Every structure is written in C-alpha cells, then in structure tokens.
Amino acid sequence: MNSFAQKTISITTKSNVLVLETDKDNNLLSTYIGKKLENTAEYPNIQPLDKYKPGSDDLLNKREAYIASGSLNLLEPSLSVTHGDGNKSTVLTFASVEEKQLDDNRKLTIVRLTDTKYKFDVALHYLAYFKEDVIEQWAEIKHNEKGTVVLNKYASANLTLSGRKFFLKNHYSGAVREMRSEEQQLLHGIKTIDSKLGTRTNLLHSSSFMVSIDQPATEDMGEVIAGSLEWTGNFKLDFETFDEYYLRITAGINNFSSNYTLKAGENFVTPRFVYTYSSSGKGLASRNLQNWARNYQLADGKGERLTILNNWETTYFDFNDEKLNELTKDTKKLGVDVFLLDDGWFGNKYPRNGATSGLGDWQYNKQKLKNGISSLGKEATANGVKFGIWLEPEMVNPKSELYENHPDWIIRQPERKEFYMRNQLVLDLTNPKVQDFIFKTVDDVFKEVPELAFIKWDCNSLIYNANSPTLKNQDHFYIEYIRGLNSVLEKIRKKYPKTPMMLCAGGGSRVDYAALKYFTEFWPSDNTNPFDRIFIQWEYSYYFPSIASDNHITDMGNQPIKFKTDVAMMGKLGYDVRVNELSKNDLLFSQNAVRTYNSFKDIVWHGQQYRLQDPYENKIASIAYVNDAKDQAVVFNYHVATLFTNGVILPIKLKGLDPTKKYKIEEINLYPGTKSPIDSTKVYSGDFLMKVGFNPEANSYRKSVVLKVTAL
C-alpha cells in the first residue's frame, strides 16, 4: 500500500476551526470542530491518525470527511454511486487543496477528492465567514467515465462530532402549528428528519436544527452546532451515533425517488449546508446565523422593510373597486406603508370567488375590478401609500382556463385519479414553457402596475402523483422542479431586484435559506393568535433574523389589540384588520404604535437578539434586541402563564449591554389612558441590569410590556 505525506487543512473563522487531515492511506478525515487553537501547529495533535488499525474491532476511516459507499465504510454514506460498468464501489482519496481569499471576511477552501479507478471526482467546498463564525459547505461531483454514472445519494456535507452524549433540537409542524420544538438525546441508530413533499417541504419537519454536545445547551452555556440546509425541495438530515463517542451528521437533498444520471463532464452541484459552532450556548449560535443571513444571504438583509395592511381577513374574496379604494385610505389612516391586495382579484371565465376556481388565470376579474389593478396602484399612490399584490403562480385549479388549455403543463400521473389539495394542482416547473409562463405572470403584473411595491408569493399544495408529462427522466423530477423554480426567481430578481417579496406557503411551510436568497421575508404561520405566535416566532428566531419574519395583527385570538401589537413587533409589523371597525382608542393606539415601531424598528431588524426568558419555562417570556453600539435596546415581555398570576415576578436579567454604561428604562407603546408603573427617571448600570436584572411588571393585568433601554 502506498504511503502519503499526511496533510492538515484548517477552515478557520474568528473563534472556531474545522480541521481536516489526510491519513497514511491518503483518506481525508474530519478530526475536529470547535474553538480554534492559538498555536495552529498543534492541530495534528488533536487526535492520533493511526487510531484505527487493520485487524482491530473498529471500522476503518469512520471519520472520513465525505463518506462514499461500497468499500470499507459500513455506516450511512453521503455518496452512493453506480458507475458506468455497474460497480457500486467508490473510494475517494485526497488529490489537492486550493484556498481562495474572496475578500477580507470570506475564504473558500476547495478540497478535491478522486477515485482514480473510475476518474470520478468530488470537490468539497468550505466557505468560511470569518466575523460571523459560519461555514457553508457543499460538494461538486463530476466524472469522465465512459457512458453515464448514476448518483444514488449525494449529500452536501458530513460533519463528525465527538462527545460523550448528543442532544438534537428539531422542529415538527402542521398547518397553523408550525415550528413545535422537541429536544432528545440521540441514542443508538440513525435519527432521520426528511421531506418527500416536493413543495412546502417544511410542512412536517424543519430543515434547520441544533445539536448540543455532552449535555443540552442553554442560551448562554454549552457546546452547540446550529445547521440549516439551503434547499427549497425534498431534504434529508441523518444523525448517526457510532463507537460511543461520535455523531455523524449527513445533510443534503433527499435521494428518495431521485437517482440522478450524471453525464461525463457534467458538474452536479449539491445545495449548500450552512452551520455554526458555539461554545457559549444556543443564543450565540442564533446570532451567528442571523448576522450571516443579514450580511450575505437574505434578500436585502441589511436594508429596510415595508409595513403592510392586508385585505384578506377584512374582505376575503368579497370585494370590489370601492371597497379596495377605501382600504387604501385606511392604509394611510393607519400609517403603514403598503396596501396588499390578497387572493381573489383574478379570473373571468372562472372567477376567483372562492378557493375552487380561477387559479392560473392571472387576468384581473372585470366584475370585481372594473378599472383593473392598474387603477388600484394609482389609487394607492394618490393616497400616499404603496400597492402590493398576492400571487400563487406555481398552482392551478382544475376549474380554470389554464387547466383546459395546457393539460401538459400539470404535474400528474397518467391514468391515475387526480388528487387535489385545496382544490388545486401543481404546475410542472421542470418544463421551460411553464417557467416562462410564471415569469410572464409576474412581469405582466408589473406592466399593469409599474409602481408595484410588494409581492406575496404563496404555495399551498404538495406534489401528489409526481410526474412530469415532458421530462425524459422522472428520477430527476424533484430536483428539476426546484431548479426550475430557482430559474424563475433568478429571472424575476434580475429584472426586479429591489421589490420586496414575502415567501408564504400555507403558513411557514417553505422557510429555507435558498428561498430567502430571493425573498426579503417569510410568513411564519397562518396562525396569528398572538399567544401561539409567541412560541412560533420564538422557535423561528433560533435560525432566522427578525427582519425576515412577517408578523400581522389580525382578528384571530380574543386578546386586546395592545397584546397583539406587542407580539407582532417582535419582527416585521403588519396588519390584517378592519380599520374602519376599530374603536376610537384602538385606532388611536394603532396609529401611535406604528409611529412607535418606526422609532425602534431598526434595532429589532438589525440589532443583536437575546432570548432572555423562555416561554415554555417561565410565566413571563422575554426577548431583547440590542443595537451594535450597545446604547439602545428594545425588550419585549409577554405574560404567558395560563393561570391567573399576580404574585412576585423575579427580575429579568438583560444581555448584550455595556456593563460600564449607564442606562434608563422607559415603557413604550402604552394604550391610551394607561400609565406605566416603570420609573423612567431611574438610572442603572449595564452591569446591574445584566447581573441583577429588571422587573417589567408584566402580570395577569399587564399582559405585555415593551421597554426601551437607552444609554445616557
């Protein structure tokens, strides 16, 4: 057997490092992820490379950086291949490494592996974001074999963690009950979290997670990896413990019904898997991902956002020009930026007067809108507000002209009974003609309303009877659907780069960082009951920044409008209310609340987030946002006890302040006629507020309290 010079590769960020090493047989191993060392020469000493010896009871190379199947590895692989000659064995060895300094904060490391027998190559990409302590990882696969190769599995990344115990925080969902959280110890075997839904792929499970090492991490203590797969389609996350002290995380596209036939010379690029390591608990891991997202991934992540009045819960499908024109005036009266026209504005042969017809026929309904959507845009401009619109361009109702005219554009199995979810089917985005149709749908709206300021992009159906009438290889269907979707979004963004777009999918069923490259924000849930929303928004905050979370005040829930508003302010504020039916004080409060929100929204959108008190474990839930100068903060406090409580509430310890600065605390967003018990004249040191804390005086009578903390 050949012996090679062993090589150490370190992917380094501000605080952390991922160490890769080659062994004497030229295999690439993952030896360490954690806090970086002062002396980089010590990385080869982290773990002896000759631990696994032939003849021992241990399997060879269990810490390989990218596991291929069919040879010595008997654990869950990241790569399974059927070569051109039918052989299913792949042996990847180290070929070369290349480092590219992209700018003063980003460094790309490319490690090339090869199977010399088959001229089969894998390039592992590690993009390190230095200040954010974040790494994006993906693989590029190609070959020069005779004929074609079939990729049976093709994960984006393997991560191998070492520790005594491992605890997984993951999220399960359903309609109006998104992002429910559970945390469990990973014991023997494989824990798999996946999606086979085609669209709305986070409906049942989230593709974001956290793994704590040795013990469940708290907000501020413990080792934790937070990860998220950047893919809008079917995903698969495998968590496999082995040999008592190791956990392997394998993340990538779900290979369910998706064998990929790779031509010679073709480059298959997997989605990116983004992750961060924190030695100081879950809070730091969240801030790392949020900062990375705002700086690099989320569309216009460092920019501004528009507040919205949506007509859906005001009118549903029942509206006309006159009603909508009144709503544009209400938008101005309320003080928000955009009037958003929701579902029901289109369809003529099959008018969209309910969920059963018209979807796909994107011409304005001449009975409801005699002057068209262009006049609505002009009316909004005349009233000093902006105009936005709802679209669901990937879907079609069987009762539509589109269904009648283009049956070959619809995903369905031949000679099978059609199955409808919400009375609709999914259009075949693997078909370039359908891609062109969807782009034209959006483009035509802009032609009608050149001043269009907002798009709400919905997606309500899953893919049943998955089959493309035009795709030659049905094994490629699920991948080509997402490629088609991304192609459309790329084209839209190229022509309309600045228009805000909300990612909606029957609630928060399509929240991933690949989609958020094109969308400025997402709709967390159709459940807008503010009590439930505290928990939903809390869970999303582990991975996504508040600037991306659309939170609306609606009629759902019987809580007072102040409580609803305070909860919605924990993100991007919006309204879905009948403004004309608000009481005098509720309207006055709401108008003042919009102005108050505008005075601090930049802190919520761009500041550092600190979860102070968990709603699952405390009577008071509390979350804070602190600006980078640490001279301003906003603290949201919500009474979540289900039983009446008016007893002693312990002070809440703040985080993220400057211990040497002096601060005053003022309660803001008060309802008209109420007086705060908070003494805004008192002065506290940051040290005091973080070590002793402050009582917001939230209780059964004061359900929500918003505090502004200002340095003197």
Side-chain angles (χ1 to χ4, degrees), residues 22 36 43 46 79 126 251 263 367 439 468 480 482 611:
T22 58
K36 69 181 182 183
Y43 287 138
I46 289 175
L79 179 71
Y126 302 86
K263 299 175 184 177
Q367 294 298 314
F439 173 78
S468 164
E480 292 299 337
I482 300 303
R611 291 180 291 266

Side-chain angles (χ1 to χ4, degrees), residues 169 179 181 219 530-542 563 567 570 610-623 636-642 652:
K169 176 181 174 67
M179 291 297 280
S181 177
E219 274 298 301
F531 184 86
D532 294 337
R533 267 300 189 107
I534 291 170
F535 295 84
I536 292 170
Q537 293 165 196
W538 183 273
E539 293 300 334
Y540 277 116
S541 80
Y542 282 99
F563 185 83
V567 172
M570 193 180 105
Y610 296 89
R611 291 180 291 266
L612 306 180
Q613 280 199 174
D614 192 322
Y616 299 93
E617 299 177 358
N618 298 277
K619 297 176 182 177
I620 307 298
S622 185
I623 192 166
F636 298 99
N637 306 276
Y638 310 114
H639 182 263
V640 292
T642 54
I652 296 172

